Each structure stands twice: as C-alpha cells, then as structure tokens.
Amino acid sequence: MTAQLYIAPPAAGKTQFAIERLRGVLKVSPLATTWVIVPDRLQAAAFRQRLSDAGGTIGAHVGTFGDLYKEILERAGNPVPVTSDPTIYFLIRSVVEDLHQQGRLPYYSSIRNTPGFINVLKEHFAEFKRALIWPEELVTQTLEGEPGLAELAQIYLAYQQKLQSIDWADQEGLSWLAVEALEAQPDLLNTWRLVIVDGFDDFNRTQRRALRLLADRIPEVIITLPGAPEMMRPVHSRFKHAFDDLIAEIYPEIHYLDSSPHLPAPLSILENEVFEKGTPPKVQNERIFLLEVKSPAEEVREALRWIKARIQRWHISPDDCAIFVPKAEIYSAYLKEAAAEFGLPLRITWGEPLVQSPAIAALLGLLKLPIQDYPQRLTLETIRSPYFDLSEFGLTQKDADLLELVSIKWQVVAGLEQWVSAFEGLTLTSPTPQNNAQSGQDKEPYQPSLPGGDSAAHLEVAFRTLVDRLKVTDPKLLNGWISWLEDLLDEIDYIQRCEPEVLEALRDILRALVLNETVSGSQVNDYQQFINSLQSAIEGSVYNLTDTLTQASILAARMIEGRGIRFKAVAILGLSEGIFPEIERPDPFIDEPNRLRLGLDSRIGRHQSSLFYQAITRADEALLLTRPYLAEGGEPWEPSYYWNEVKKLFPEACVRIKSDAPRSLHQACSRQEALFWAVRQGAVPQTDKKLIAQAEYVEYARQILQDRLGEKSKSRYEGNLSELSSEFSDLYGPEHVWSASRLESYGNCPHQFFAANVLNLEAKEPPELGFDASQLGTMLHTILEEVYQYAEDPNDLETVLAALPGIAYKKFASAPEEYGFRPNILWEEQQEGLIARLEKTVIELAKKSAGWTPFGFELAYGFRDKYAPALEIDTQIGRIKLHGYIDRVDRDANGNLRIIDYKTGSSHLSKGDLINGRRLQLPLYTLATSQSLKLGKPIDGFYWGINSAKAYLYLMKFKHDGEIGPEAAIDLACKHVERIVREIRLAKFPPLPPSGGCPKYCPASTWCWRYEPGFYR
Ligand code: SF4
C-alpha cells in the first residue's frame, strides 16, 4: 500500500483533516484499530482535546512513536522493558569505567567521571540510534579515524552489549526492535485500519523505516507535513528536507490540502509574507505586538502581563496561552519568579538540574557529614534544615543555635573530636543565665545562651545519637545501602517534607542503582563509594515541579516544542542577536565532515527560520514578540534578523517600553507592582485603602533610605541619638575612665564604637583553625615584653636574641589555651616563622636604640589595682580621665625618656592618622608617662611595627600647626579626646567608613549600609 502525504501551511486544517478522516473511518468501522502518532506528550494531549471537541471517538489510540514501538513489540510477543534515564546514566558510567580500567579510553580518560561527559554520551547514543547507526558498524567505520570518535564508538558498542545482556532497551533502542519485529513478521499489524502521523516537521531515519513498513501492511497511512507545493520559501527549508526524505524512502502519494490558513488577517499576512520580498497588503493590526524591553527579565514580565491581559480581558483560558523561549537557561528563573508574583499558573516543559533542588542539597549535606567529619557550618545547616525532623535523635532546629555558640566558644572548626572535647568542657560549667524570652517573662526575641552542665550533657547526647545513626563502618552491597538510606529518610521525615517530584526523581535514581548492581554484578561498596555514585547520578538528573500541575495553565516551552499545537495567544521571547536565531556551533565530539559521513544531521544550518515560522504560526488570535534592547553591560543589543523581518511587515506594532516610564496602574499585574508604580508616579488611588496603607509604609521606608543615601547621617537610623544625649552624658560622664583605644575606635568610625562599646556586640566569626590577628598581636607583644625584661642585658643584642627562643616557645606552648585558638597543622612551622620575625624586629629595633636602655614594660596607669593614677586632661567640657598600658619606656644616659608602642600591623600609624584623630595612643602615653607615672617628660616616641620591623611616627619630628615635637602631638591628641568625648555625650554615632574600608571585626558590618569592604585590619 502507499502512504498518503498531505501538505498544507500551518493553520490550514491538517489536524482537522486528520480528525475528520479518523472519525470517518471509525464511523464506518467502529471496531477498527486506528492510531494517531504525534511528536510528544504535549501534542498527544492537545490532539485528544481536539478530538474530544470534535465529538470524540472510541477506540482511537493517540501516542508517540515510542508508544507505537511498545505496542508493536507487545503484539509481536516480545515486550521489552525500557530503561529509565538514571539507569542509562549508570550503565554508561559503568561501561566507561570498565573500558578505562582496560586501558581502552586514553583519549577521554581525564573527563570520564564528569556528569557532563556521561550526558553527552547519552545524547549521542540516542542520536546514533535515531539515525540507525549500529554500534558494530560505527566501530568499523571509525577504527582508523580520530581517536575520540573511535573511543566514542567503543563505548557505544559496550553500552549496547550491556543493555542487551539484561534484555532491556532504551527508548531509541525500542525503535530498532520494533522495526526488526515488523520486518520479521509480515503479518504483524495487518488488522490495523488506519495510522495518522500528524504534527511532525521532520522524521529521523528509524521513524521513516517504521513508516515504510507500516505503509506496506496497513490500508491507510496518512502523514501530514507543513509546507506548500513548491517548498521554495526559506521558512520551508526544514519541511523540504523532511519532504525529500519521505519521497526517497516511503514513496508516498502527495496531496496538497486545498485550504488556506484560517488565521485572522494580520496573522495570515505574517504567515504568508515573513522573509518574503515584495509589498505586503496593508491591514489594520490588532493581533500582532512587538515589544522591546530592557532585559530578558523585563521580557518575561511584559510577556506574562500581555498574557494575563488576554486571559482577563479576552477571556482566554490559560490553557490556550503559550510562551516560547529559545534558551530555557536564560528565561527559566525569571519565568518562575514573575509567574508566581503575577499569580499565573505556569507549566514548564523543561526540567531543572536535580542537584539544584534545595531538598537534594540538604540530603547530600546530611550524608556527607561523616565523610567530612562534621564541619561546623555543614553540621549547623543540616540541623537547621526544614527538610529534616531530627527529633528522633533529640535535636531540634533551635539546637543549631546552641551548637553554633558552642563551636564559637570552643573553636570547633571540624572534627568529631573537637565537638566532643567542647561538650566535655561545657558539661563541667554552669549554663549561661537564660534570657527573659526563654523564661517567658517578655516578648524579646529568642536569644540562645551557651549551654552548660546538664543542658550541655543533654545536647551532647543528642549530637552523639545523630553521629551514631550516620556512622556506618561496614561496606555493603548497593541494595544494603539503599535500605539503609530509605530507613534514614523515613526516620527523619524527609519523605513527607520533600517535594513529591524531587522524591520521585530520587527514587528513580535509587532504582537505577539497584538495577545497575544487577547488571554489573554485586559489588561491595564502602560509604564513600555509595555517596559518590549517588551524587554522580543526581548531578546527571533533572526534575520538574510543574509536571503535576492539574489546573489550567500557561505553557512555557522551548521553540522546538511548539510545532503541531495551536494556542489562542502566543508570546515568543528572545528576538535579539545571539539569542534567536541561536549561534550555531559544530559538535565538539563529532565534527561536521564526520557527521555527514555517518548520516547524522548537521549541527550547522538547523533550519532555524522554519522553527521560527512554526512558532509564529501557532497563534490563532494574538501574537507577541519581545526582545531585550540593552545588553548586560548597558550597551545596545541589536535586534535579530527575524525581529527585523516581522517589524518590516508591521512597523507600527513595535513599541519600546522604558522601565522607568510612567505606566497606567490598570496594567499592573501584582500588588507590589501597582504599589511601586503608584508611589513612583506619586498617584496612589485614594479609593484603595490597602494600597494607601502600603504606600504610607513605603514613604516611611523612603525616609530611611533617603537618610541612608544622604552624604551625612541625620537621623536615628544613622546613629544620631541626640534625643538620648542626657543618658549618654551620664553614662560617659566625668567619672568615666577612657582608654585610648576606645577613643580611637570612635575616631575610626563612631557607629562601630556604638555597636561594639554601647551595644556590646561582637562580630560573629565562624571558627577557623589557627590564631587570628588579635591573638597574634597579643602573643608577640607579650613575648617582646618578657624578652627585654628577662634578658641578661636588655641593651645587649646578643643576650636579647639568646633569651628570645626560650621565652617564645614557652609562650607558644600555652598560647592555644591562653588565647583560645585551635592550632592548625602548620603550628610548629608557624612558631619557627614567628621567632624569625621577632629576631628580625629585635635586630632592627637595636639599630634604633643606640644609647637607649629599656627600663619600663607594660606600665599601667589609671586602673584601680595599680599604683599610678589615671591621666586627667582638662578640656572645655571638663576633666577627662584615661587609663592604659605603655608597652615600653627607654631612657638614655642623660635621663631622657622615649616611648615605644608595639603594633603587629603597620596600617594607620602615620602622622595623618593622628591628625584625623584615628590613632591617639602614642601622644597620650607620652603625657601619661609624665603626669600619671611621674617618670619625666619623654623627648621622643614611636610606634614599632613588629612584622615590618620599622618605626612609625617619631614624635620628636612631629609638626602640626606651627608646633613641633611631642608637645604638638599631645596638644592635638587632647583636642581629639575632647571632641570625641563631647560627641559621644551628644550621642552622635554616624557610620563613617574608615579610609581603606571597614574592618571585618566591626559588629555592625552585617547591617550597616555604609559598609565598604577593604583591607583594613
Ligand atoms: S561597617 Fe564600616 S561604616 Fe559601618 S559601622 Fe562598621 S566601620 Fe562604620
């Protein structure tokens, strides 16, 4: 028999013809077997709907080629199970590993374990099968050729053999078996009456072979194809290609359906004239819209707005609307976000990488805890995860807060040992008193406090229970691991908390793991191997949260998926250069000459204009095209050729939307959008009370933001607490004793002072191995102080250097406990380095000390338990008291004094820092030496950078305002002290980022909007 090929332009009634023919046959022979084959499930659903709308038929099967192949094999008595995607993934991975072990994959050895490579292989094997390229044939053809292609062929052969060894088939392999069954059994399907093939614009070789065999035995095989008698237009190139193949292999009778597209005028003109030369007829256009917007994100918002308007004003069902995108990776996130904001149900055809699902990320984190030995951050994240209920082990999400405090206090970076030693230490202490919220006395937010005693012991038991549950020492078969995992997921309630689609994808992977074990033979895996296999399969899988949507919804699909289905309203996005048409690139695994030689489709010249033509002819009532006009960097983004071609036909349809242009509120698609536009335009409708309340709140926020953006802070939101000045005057009154470093802290940034000293906040730093900058500074200071103190002769360099190592090693031995840090593995080497650094600093300091003898170390003044009284400075706001420690005082033979202040770093030690009021210690210590300690007036002083082994800011040389020497520096420092204390009493705490950036230890850095990152230490 001869197949019948019916050709007509899109929307010219091909599907309608197919439906009528089907109904005609079934009317005469109601029991006849009839099949309709369409490209995918979307089209199958659409065809069934149209069939039902046309009055329905009983007994017609509607499915894909895959469904047909299964039916053929069942009827041939040879049903074959079809492998799932994860199973294929594991099979390919295992054959790749086997070949590698045999030394047969030198070319791909380095990338063999990457999920991307396995996925590329999967796609290529499917392509080979669709093109009827047998593995043995490919091996022979590539034996002498490029090594990469030869290895690809070897993997393909090994994969196919493995699949056959278990009597399974992949989706494409099913087609081979079906074709073989048809060839082997000439009587097969000879009772069928009609097969209709609708919605295709091309056919692969296997499909053509199957159609040929069907046409030989079934009375009527009808194939529809878009196009026209001549097939000469550029938009027909893809259909012409399909047409030529069908003619060459199936020899159909050709018919041209005698009907023109049923589209309204502008859409039919578009169908007829796009990419054509000549003058199109002029018509009134209310059907085609072209929108230029700033970015892909805006494209999505405008497209959804347009569709929402069609749904609400034209009363089109969401099911009758579609958005086509050329690149899902550009638009996917924007679509989900905007559809959720606009309250529009969206069904997306593409899947998301499973590894990006939050539920899967949480699960992998939990499973990796024992492998990574319970690192602080991962442990806390796992306990806080909403996907787990760990109450079975006695842990709640709030326990993560307690564990965080434990880890900071005990410097737990990672390691069970560190956690255990922290718990052991804590059980010996008393708990920190509970705050009011915990005891239920007021409504202050929950503030966790460090556990101790019984509460620490309780926490330890819970933590150990979790650890014991995750501790698996004995290797197992994969089956055993999967049972273990399933039990665990059940215990922690993961199955109830995980999204069903994600859970199903995970179950597929677990099933595939079991099957893979069956195929590859039972093999014992340790825990790490099991987790590696699981993770690798997860990385190669996708999931789709919209698969289970049941309500009427807008379809979001890739351009290729639009063929064959019709909608009332269609939006097509991405018509700018580089997005659509896509830039075509050759296949990196099989080059173009080899693809042609093997009979594979070219990757260059993919008939994109035909795809575009198919997409623009999907709309029955209205069509929207959009494009972004600004690239990410702000430069203009040129329109694509396709855009220009449509614009040529409908120039007046093109509108550019500027995102900051005023818009009518009735176009807003969400409350937040309406509010945003109304506030920006200063026209909140007085009838909408809710909007008015929201606008008032926005105004309140605007004031805050305005303050934030102002050059100078003005309000309480920027530390201006002048309304509390009397409280601050009392708090920091005449009896308050200041330290120079606190005043410097205000001088560096008043808001930092406020956060650290008034609110008593500390920056929460995750614990790290090794000492931090402040611990290092204290260590080095103390060692230097003791070295000069206990050296036989502090004036003699040799004896100072001789004393250094002994004192330093003693200090290093007690430092971790004394300063509270956990040494890292380099601690031994670091000690050597620190001693070398100290030796250098001692040598260099000796060069600056000829004639000077150190005699005072860590001299204290102004502390209750010390002899020397506070330094008192008389100022216009009264007497100000200071206390402090002076690192070192030297004396020369004439009894002159000089001050040395050690500093670990070397930043902010310049003359400018004193002038700006950010570094005050040296002149204040100089004054205290004479006034409080009564040692006499120093004639000099400097900061000594321990790391740099250099002196900074010699007081003797200091010049300012015509004054010179220590007195000038003291005078200036006292003025700063007066200014700073006055401003603190006036409660002025503006955030002023220090030059060089904000320090990472500033406790306000997590909320301060003036934060500036930098290298400041
Ligand atoms: S983040 Fe910077 S500007 Fe803000 S308070 Fe801290 S130091 Fe000041």
Side-chain angles (χ1 to χ4, degrees):
M1 271 134 296
T2 307
Q4 309 296 312
L5 178 61
Y6 287 86
I7 297 173
K14 293 185 294 301
T15 302
Q16 190 55 36
F17 166 78
I19 287 171
E20 280 165 14
R21 184 67 202 125
L22 180 65
R23 284 170 55 81
V25 166
L26 287 170
K27 194 170 175 188
V28 176
S29 318
L31 298 179
T33 306
T34 53
W35 264 75
V36 178
I37 305 168
V38 290
D40 53 39
R41 303 254 165 256
L42 271 179
Q43 294 197 37
F47 194 97
R48 278 190 210 106
Q49 184 62 47
R50 285 190 66 176
L51 200 54
S52 149
D53 294 346
T57 53
I58 296 171
H61 299 266
V62 182
T64 61
F65 266 107
D67 298 325
L68 173 76
Y69 299 145
K70 274 190 211 154
E71 178 76 15
I72 291 171
L73 289 170
E74 268 172 32
R75 285 179 181 254
N78 184 24
V80 179
V82 180
T83 48
S84 65
D85 272 2
T87 306
I88 296 173
Y89 183 88
F90 280 123
L91 289 177
I92 297 178
R93 215 173 74 119
S94 102
V95 297
V96 165
E97 197 49 38
D98 287 350
L99 290 171
H100 169 71
Q101 294 298 336
Q102 296 160 21
R104 292 168 60 193
L105 285 190
Y107 190 81
Y108 288 122
S109 167
S110 60
I111 58 166
R112 72 184 193 285
N113 282 329
T114 59
F117 179 58
I118 305 294
N119 282 330
V120 163
L121 291 175
K122 198 167 108 186
E123 283 162 21
H124 277 85
F125 296 169
E127 199 182 358
F128 293 154
K129 290 190 173 184
R130 287 194 294 267
L132 278 179
I133 300 173
W134 303 90
E136 295 80 1
E137 188 188 313
L138 188 67
V139 168
T140 315
Q141 284 194 37
T142 56
L143 220 46
E144 304 294 322
E146 291 162 27
L149 190 50
E151 285 187 15
L152 210 60
Q154 290 295 344
I155 305 170
Y156 180 37
L157 177 63
Y159 162 70
Q160 187 57 24
Q161 286 169 342
K162 191 149 233 175
L163 210 50
Q164 283 167 344
S165 73
I166 50 167
D167 286 334
W168 280 53
D170 53 21
Q171 195 63 45
E172 281 74 20
L174 213 57
S175 62
W176 289 3
L177 296 172
V179 166
E180 275 176 8
L182 285 174
E183 285 170 344
Q185 299 182 39
D187 293 345
L188 194 61
L189 310 190
N190 62 1
T191 57
W192 287 20
R193 173 66 186 81
L194 168 70
V195 169
I196 293 173
V197 182
D198 186 48
F200 289 82
D201 58 7
D202 73 341
F203 297 92
N204 63 46
R205 216 189 265 182
T206 323
Q207 290 168 340
R208 294 196 298 268
R209 177 78 59 91
L211 288 177
R212 169 71 258 157
L213 291 163
L214 290 179
D216 283 346
R217 65 196 67 200
I218 295 174
E220 203 173 349
V221 172
I222 292 175
I223 304 168
T224 66
L225 190 69
E230 320 78 40
M231 295 274 196
M232 297 299 283
R233 292 178 60 189
V235 292
H236 291 155
S237 62
R238 187 177 169 91
F239 322 140
K240 172 83 168 71
H241 187 252
F243 176 80
D244 290 344
D245 287 340
L246 289 175
I247 297 295
E249 294 179 38
I250 302 181
Y251 331 117
E253 252 176 44
I254 301 165
H255 308 268
Y256 296 103
L257 281 179
D258 190 18
S259 57
S260 38
H262 58 257
L263 300 170
L267 291 166
S268 66
I269 287 173
L270 178 67
E271 184 278 323
N272 219 18
E273 302 291 336
V274 69
F275 300 126
E276 295 298 304
K277 297 189 173 62
T279 315
K282 287 267 173 225
V283 286
Q284 199 183 350
N285 171 31
E286 286 168 352
R287 304 279 181 174
I288 296 174
F289 305 83
L290 286 91
L291 285 186
E292 293 179 305
V293 293
K294 210 168 76 181
S295 63
E298 294 286 320
E299 276 187 278
V300 166
R301 292 184 75 83
E302 294 310 323
L304 286 172
R305 184 186 321 288
W306 181 82
I307 286 181
K308 191 167 183 176
R310 306 282 89 77
I311 292 171
Q312 294 193 336
R313 293 177 201 150
W314 292 15
H315 306 293
I316 294 178
S317 160
D319 275 338
D320 284 326
C321 303
I323 294 182
F324 294 121
V325 299
K327 292 185 178 178
E329 63 274 21
I330 297 181
Y331 294 99
S332 188
Y334 299 136
L335 277 165
K336 281 186 256 174
E337 189 184 302
E341 183 191 324
F342 291 2
L344 292 173
L346 193 67
R347 193 160 27 100
I348 296 176
T349 58
W350 56 86
E352 301 292 331
L354 186 59
V355 75
Q356 288 175 11
S357 144
I360 290 293
L363 177 62
L364 286 174
L366 171 78
L367 297 175
K368 283 182 187 169
L369 281 178
I371 297 170
Q372 297 181 4
D373 203 7
Y374 299 88
Q376 187 246 17
R377 195 161 153 203
L378 186 58
T379 304
L380 301 180
E381 280 173 0
T382 301
I383 296 172
R384 285 191 178 119
S385 171
Y387 287 103
F388 311 132
D389 174 2
L390 302 179
S391 55
E392 186 80 4
F393 314 119
L395 281 171
T396 65
Q397 289 179 353
K398 279 189 176 175
D399 286 333
D401 299 337
L402 303 182
L403 288 167
E404 186 171 14
L405 290 179
V406 170
S407 67
I408 291 171
K409 168 86 180 163
W410 289 79
Q411 295 295 300
V412 178
V413 180
L416 211 43
E417 210 179 291
Q418 292 182 14
W419 285 108
V420 169
S421 90
F423 288 128
E424 284 171 356
L426 279 170
T427 43
L428 301 175
T429 66
S430 305
T432 308
Q434 298 261 306
N435 64 23
N436 290 341
Q438 283 168 305
S439 54
Q441 289 172 17
D442 64 21
K443 292 185 178 167
E444 284 293 306
Y446 164 68
Q447 286 284 337
S449 52
L450 195 65
D454 286 349
S455 58
H458 175 78
L459 193 60
E460 179 181 4
V461 169
F463 187 79
R464 279 179 185 271
T465 313
L466 172 68
V467 169
D468 288 344
R469 183 62 183 87
L470 296 177
K471 186 160 70 187
V472 204
T473 47
D474 50 323
K476 302 179 201 298
L477 296 174
L478 274 174
N479 255 326
W481 282 120
I482 289 164
S483 304
W484 174 87
L485 180 61
E486 284 173 343
D487 288 348
L488 177 69
L489 298 186
D490 208 16
E491 273 169 59
I492 60 177
D493 204 32
Y494 183 79
I495 292 164
Q496 303 303 321
R497 292 163 179 242
C498 182
E499 297 82 4
E501 297 81 359
V502 174
L503 195 62
E504 197 43 46
L506 179 65
R507 282 187 169 135
D508 270 352
I509 288 171
L510 298 182
R511 281 193 283 268
L513 272 170
V514 175
L515 183 71
N516 190 46
E517 185 174 54
T518 315
V519 177
S520 309
S522 298
Q523 225 178 353
V524 171
N525 287 270
D526 64 23
Y527 185 67
Q528 173 86 60
Q529 286 167 325
F530 167 61
I531 299 300
N532 287 350
S533 299
L534 185 64
Q535 170 145 7
S536 165
I538 285 172
E539 284 170 1
S541 301
V542 294
Y543 74 109
N544 191 338
L545 287 178
T546 61
D547 268 355
T548 46
L549 213 60
T550 49
Q551 69 195 109
S553 46
I554 301 159
L555 177 76
R558 285 170 286 224
M559 214 65 98
I560 184 92
E561 294 167 310
R563 57 191 181 167
I565 325 177
R566 306 212 56 79
F567 301 90
K568 288 184 177 164
V570 169
I572 299 173
L573 279 52
L575 291 165
S576 280
E577 261 191 8
I579 308 185
F580 195 69
E582 274 183 57
I583 297 168
E584 296 181 341
R585 296 192 171 85
D587 178 1
F589 286 81
I590 311 176
D591 61 19
E592 281 299 295
N594 273 317
R595 289 187 71 86
L596 291 180
R597 183 170 66 85
L598 295 171
L600 297 168
D601 285 341
S602 168
R603 291 277 173 102
I604 310 285
R606 282 181 283 152
H607 312 291
Q608 293 193 66
S609 60
S610 294
L611 279 184
F612 179 62
Y613 171 71
Q614 286 270 55
I616 57 175
T617 52
R618 295 304 90 209
D620 285 335
E621 295 189 12
L623 174 71
L624 169 74
L625 306 183
T626 69
R627 78 171 200 93
Y629 67 82
L630 275 186
E632 246 177 53
E635 60 275 13
W637 198 337
E638 294 302 319
S640 81
Y641 168 65
Y642 297 173
W643 172 274
N644 287 336
E645 286 298 299
V646 178
K647 193 177 162 189
K648 259 199 287 185
L649 298 174
F650 302 98
E652 73 293 341
C654 184
V655 175
R656 177 170 287 204
I657 295 183
K658 296 200 167 149
S659 49
D660 51 357
R663 300 188 72 160
S664 162
L665 287 194
H666 76 267
Q667 290 180 13
C669 281
S670 64
R671 284 205 78 80
Q672 49 270 52
E673 201 171 53
L675 180 66
F676 181 69
W677 291 355
V679 170
R680 199 165 62 173
Q681 290 160 208
V684 181
Q686 293 308 302
T687 47
D688 191 333
K689 295 232 168 1
K690 202 168 169 190
L691 208 59
I692 290 170
Q694 287 174 328
E696 282 168 2
Y697 187 74
V698 170
E699 172 56 23
Y700 176 62
R702 189 190 66 80
Q703 284 173 15
I704 297 174
L705 187 62
Q706 197 173 35
D707 279 344
R708 289 180 181 185
L709 297 176
E711 257 181 43
K712 284 194 175 171
S713 55
K714 292 188 193 111
S715 73
R716 63 172 71 169
Y717 306 112
E718 289 244 290
N720 185 352
L721 303 183
S722 48
E723 57 209 274
L724 297 176
S725 59
S726 69
E727 282 86 346
F728 275 90
S729 294
D730 290 346
L731 191 63
Y732 295 106
E735 291 314 308
H736 186 82
V737 187
W738 297 90
S739 73
S741 57
R742 286 222 165 162
L743 296 170
E744 284 177 350
S745 154
Y746 187 96
N748 269 303
C749 171
H751 205 67
Q752 180 191 339
F753 169 89
F754 173 71
N757 299 296
V758 180
L759 300 180
N760 285 323
L761 299 177
E762 279 178 40
K764 214 185 216 179
E765 296 279 342
E768 283 176 13
L769 283 178
F771 45 77
D772 62 24
S774 130
Q775 290 159 337
L776 173 67
T778 316
M779 241 185 324
L780 297 184
H781 265 65
T782 318
I783 292 169
L784 272 188
E785 182 196 326
E786 291 185 13
V787 163
Y788 284 105
Q789 233 169 327
Y790 300 113
E792 235 169 72
D793 177 1
N795 259 345
D796 176 35
L797 178 61
E798 293 309 314
T799 62
V800 174
L801 287 175
L804 177 62
I807 290 172
Y809 280 126
K810 199 166 158 213
K811 181 53 62 188
F812 291 149
S814 62
E817 195 170 336
E818 196 174 337
Y819 302 120
F821 66 89
R822 198 173 283 280
N824 60 26
I825 51 167
L826 297 175
W827 177 224
E828 300 292 323
E829 285 77 20
Q830 282 173 333
Q831 294 179 31
E832 302 289 325
L834 291 175
I835 289 176
R837 205 186 293 176
L838 286 167
E839 281 173 349
K840 185 173 175 223
T841 220
V842 165
I843 292 167
E844 293 301 318
L845 188 51
K847 292 179 191 166
K848 311 273 180 212
S849 301
W852 292 99
T853 304
F855 80 97
F857 305 97
E858 282 288 291
L859 300 175
Y861 61 92
F863 294 98
R864 271 200 207 126
D865 55 343
K866 304 283 178 187
Y867 168 72
L871 168 65
E872 295 189 357
I873 302 174
D874 285 324
T875 69
Q876 291 187 1
I877 56 168
R879 191 164 284 182
I880 296 172
K881 293 182 182 176
L882 289 111
H883 60 196
Y885 287 94
I886 302 168
D887 284 343
R888 171 171 155 178
V889 182
D890 290 358
R891 185 159 43 205
D892 69 5
N894 299 322
N896 294 317
L897 302 177
R898 74 170 185 185
I899 308 290
I900 298 180
D901 191 40
Y902 298 133
K903 294 286 174 220
T904 321
S906 52
S907 54
H908 297 283
L909 300 174
S910 67
K911 177 183 169 186
D913 291 304
L914 171 54
I915 292 173
N916 292 333
R918 291 149 54 125
R919 188 64 80 184
L920 306 172
Q921 287 167 345
L922 196 59
L924 294 178
Y925 294 163
T926 305
L927 187 60
T929 305
S930 59
Q931 276 196 16
S932 301
L933 297 165
K934 311 275 187 229
L935 295 173
K937 275 191 179 177
I939 63 162
D940 198 7
F942 53 80
Y943 295 113
W944 181 257
I946 300 174
N947 284 333
S948 61
K950 276 189 188 163
Y952 300 87
L953 188 70
Y954 286 99
L955 288 187
M956 193 184 270
K957 297 179 191 165
F958 182 78
K959 282 187 196 164
H960 184 64
D961 265 359
E963 303 280 323
I964 187 161
E967 290 304 325
I970 290 169
D971 195 37
L972 182 60
C974 289
K975 284 184 180 140
H976 280 305
V977 170
E978 179 184 335
R979 173 185 61 81
I980 290 171
V981 173
R982 179 190 294 117
E983 289 186 359
I984 291 173
R985 288 176 183 167
L986 289 172
K988 290 185 179 171
F989 304 108
L992 302 173
S995 69
C998 301
K1000 67 172 189 177
Y1001 54 77
C1002 171
S1005 58
T1006 47
W1007 77 75
C1008 175
W1009 49 90
R1010 303 271 179 184
Y1011 171 81
E1012 283 179 15
F1015 301 104
Y1016 182 90
R1017 279 177 291 158

